[in-house]
Amino acid sequence: MKGIEIVSTGSYIPGEPIPNDRFTEIVETSDEWIVTRTGIKARHFSNGEPTWYMGAEAAKNALEMAGISAKEIDFVLVTCCTPDYYTPTVACMVQREIGAVNAGCMDINCACSGFVYGLDMARRYLNFDDVKTVLLVSVERLSQMIDFTDRSSCVLLGDGAAACVLRAKEGGRFASVLAADGAAGGVLNARHTRRESPFLDESKRGEYFDFPEVRWDALYMDGKEVYKFATRVFPESIKEACSRLGITPNHLSHLVPHQANYRIVATALKTMGIDDHSKVFLNLDKYGNTGSASIPIALDEMNRQGLLKRGELVGVCGFGGGLTYASAVFEW
Ligand code: ACO
């Protein structure tokens, strides 16, 4: 199978940074607590921009870097767990906005693992000749599901978008591990609004088990359980993806994890025996956890800073709602 080339990258970060101190106005917290527990110093929130708009702006940014027209895109793949509509998809709205008139369009929802799942899926499409160019957009407007009175979750998250133009790479090394633990999904959930039919038999209401804990209008998170899950699956899946290429994580030139919490990353590095922390890229101090957008926002920042050289091996690892997790190793 052919590998993948990330031809170009782009991103869109809404509004001004919201520093930790601003949260002291709305919940009982402190900059010191947030920084020491997570490493996050600021994040950005949508100033009304819908999800599709942020995704489209990131896409335009990536198309500009690639120097190609939107008409050349065969497939628009969007990763998102915070879409604007049940239908149309974010992918269709991005297509409409950028004029990718020759593209098939699809959303995938794997929460914070979305970018890695999307990369794997794009690569599989690109191995067939009828798909030459994929636009992969990862966008989240997590503020639309945050309870801003819940201090244990609201300080962690942010909004943002990133995009990549992808093509197949003959002989390019690529390995991925996609996984999930649906049985544990309740520890991180956010429920859709749900209407009921007028013919509902009231005696049946509540008969169907979703999860023991659901916030009907916002994100529910058991931080400790998510933490335990993340520190286990991050090293496991990165090591597995590396071993499929006959290498260990120490052989990677760059490791770009989901930007959830610096303590999760530090623990995972220790488990993997990675002493060279300079190969790990973190920007969660500026953006917080932007869900599936966090890894490609980091890749775009690295790319624009000239940190990524063609042929270098990059490892990415996402973990989050589902619970899902996924790692990939590929040649830049
Ligand atoms: N400010 C001040 N105190 C707080 C805050 C806050 N923002 N939030 C919680 N606390 C308090 C708690 O109430 C608790 O107080 P108590 O002991 O009186 O009950 C105390 O701080 C310690 O809380 P812990 O939960 O033990 O703190 P911990 O060190 O575990 O850190 C954290 C919490 C940061 C949430 C950690 O568990 C974590 O990072 N988990 C993973 C979260 C994650 O990555 N989620 C994915 C995000 S969702 C998504 O990706 C879409």
Side-chain angles (χ1 to χ4, degrees), residues 45 110 130 154 169 190 202 263 272 292 317:
F45 292 122
C110 310
D130 55 343
C154 71
K169 184 172 182 173
E202 282 295 339
R263 283 163 59 216
M272 287 186 281
S292 72
C317 176

Side-chain angles (χ1 to χ4, degrees), residues 188-208:
L188 186 55
N189 74 68
R191 192 178 179 274
H192 265 307
T193 54
R194 191 187 291 176
R195 295 170 71 90
E196 300 291 0
S197 94
F199 311 107
L200 176 77
D201 174 354
E202 282 295 339
S203 68
K204 301 267 185 225
R205 196 192 276 278
E207 211 173 77
Y208 302 97

Side-chain angles (χ1 to χ4, degrees), residues 55-73:
E57 290 302 302
K60 288 179 200 167
N61 204 216
L63 289 175
E64 194 185 344
M65 183 189 277
I68 66 166
S69 148
K71 295 191 175 62
E72 287 179 56
I73 299 164

